[in-house]
Amino acid sequence: MPLGWYLAQGLIPLTPSSSDDEEGPCELPDGRLVCGPHGLVTCGKCCVDYSFMDDVLSQDREDEDEDEDEDEDEDEDSDHPGSDIAASNLDLATEGSNTTGSNSRRPISQPVSVETAQMPADLHDVFGHVLRRGTGRAFPTKFNPPSTSVTPSELFSGRKRHMLVTRYTFRNDAGKVLIRTDGACVDNGQPNPKAGWAFWHGLDPSGKLLVASGRLEKKGPFGDDSIQTSNRAELRAIIAALRFRYWPGEGFHTLVIATDSEYAVEGSTKYAKTWVKNGWTTRTGVGVKNRDLWEALLGEIERYKDEGMAVEFWRIPREWNTVADAAAKEATAEVDAPNGWREVLGFNC
């Protein structure tokens, strides 16, 4: 089977195959089509778009269900992850809150973990996931909302489905997608701190929130020893979000990272330009803290620029970021921090 057949289903082949690079469409057991080399419905590298199969399969399912009771159909429609009710309360959700509609079965601030996998090093090239140090060739820019009072859910009220998940897209541009990130650290600056990160990137088929999270590693992306701090956790969350999926493959040209971290937003869009120019030293000649993560972040920006995708940062109030915040804090409770860097990649999510 082509490599894409495995990747699209969250599987990793045990051994290489002569058909791994086989081009053309590959049909999955559920009838969907993906590209052979990468397992993507929409692949910028292969220049293919098989998303039309979603409509075909959807029509087939409708034909099978046409004899069902009309009232039952209406109940199912209310559970669609793209419903207005599901989107209306996402910004100000708090612990223990309850809403009507698709999320009424669980508190909206309690995310579900996405299906992730730690990809073997020899397969990283499939998604272009080899870590690189940014050189200052490209920097992210700031996302400027029409007003400071408009919320992420108001601006990103669009819904775009990809495989089994639904993304939050800009209301006037389905090619611009939103991801909310956050980092947390218990006993920050004290003995034995514990840091965690998280990002919220969509909805599953039942309307539950999809959030990826984890403990901050003891070593950085290039093997440097590091400490557990909230600032490192903030940057780690952003890097994880950027590397989680091959976002251009889902048809996006702009990725908006919403975070309540001034450190991350100002550092990446403003101060990093000076740091690179000065050889990663401050005006006082001191080395820039967390250089390894800053370089990894800029490396991802450069990688996406080469793929034709822009990355923008939006600083939002903490109360608009409660989902990612809660998940990051929960991640700090993991017993031990991983010793080495871990790749968190999303399959079918």
Side-chain angles (χ1 to χ4, degrees), residues 1-7 13 15-26 34-39 43 45-46 48 50 122-128:
M1 288 291 185
L3 182 59
W5 188 88
Y6 295 94
L7 296 177
T15 58
S17 169
S18 60
S19 62
D20 282 353
D21 297 325
E22 183 177 317
E23 298 182 358
C26 174
V34 297
C35 67
H38 311 112
C43 183
K45 293 186 177 181
C46 294
V48 296
Y50 300 122
D122 59 350
L123 290 180
H124 283 188
D125 281 332
V126 173
F127 293 118

Side-chain angles (χ1 to χ4, degrees), residues 86-130:
S88 62
N89 296 306
L90 298 182
D91 292 309
L92 303 178
T94 57
E95 186 69 27
S97 66
N98 204 352
T99 63
T100 58
S102 65
N103 290 294
S104 61
R105 291 184 291 267
R106 63 184 292 122
I108 198 169
S109 63
Q110 296 181 5
V112 295
S113 297
V114 300
E115 180 185 356
T116 61
Q118 187 171 351
M119 179 170 278
D122 59 350
L123 290 180
H124 283 188
D125 281 332
V126 173
F127 293 118
H129 269 267
V130 175

Side-chain angles (χ1 to χ4, degrees), residues 7 22 50 75 87 89-90 119 133 140 166 172 201 214 218 232 245 255 270 291 304 311:
L7 296 177
E22 183 177 317
Y50 300 122
D75 291 339
N89 296 306
L90 298 182
M119 179 170 278
R133 294 181 185 268
T166 300
N172 297 324
H201 61 93
K218 295 179 181 179
R232 287 190 68 84
R245 293 281 297 174
L255 176 61
K270 181 179 179 181
R291 173 180 172 176
Y304 277 124
V311 179

Side-chain angles (χ1 to χ4, degrees), residues 184-186 194-197 214-215 327-335:
C185 187
V186 176
K194 296 180 179 180
W197 56 266
R215 271 293 302 273
K329 290 178 178 176
E330 184 177 348
T332 66
E334 292 184 21
V335 178

Side-chain angles (χ1 to χ4, degrees), residues 70 92 156 179 185 221 278 322 331:
E70 183 176 354
L92 303 178
F156 289 82
I179 296 179
C185 187
N278 294 338
T322 56

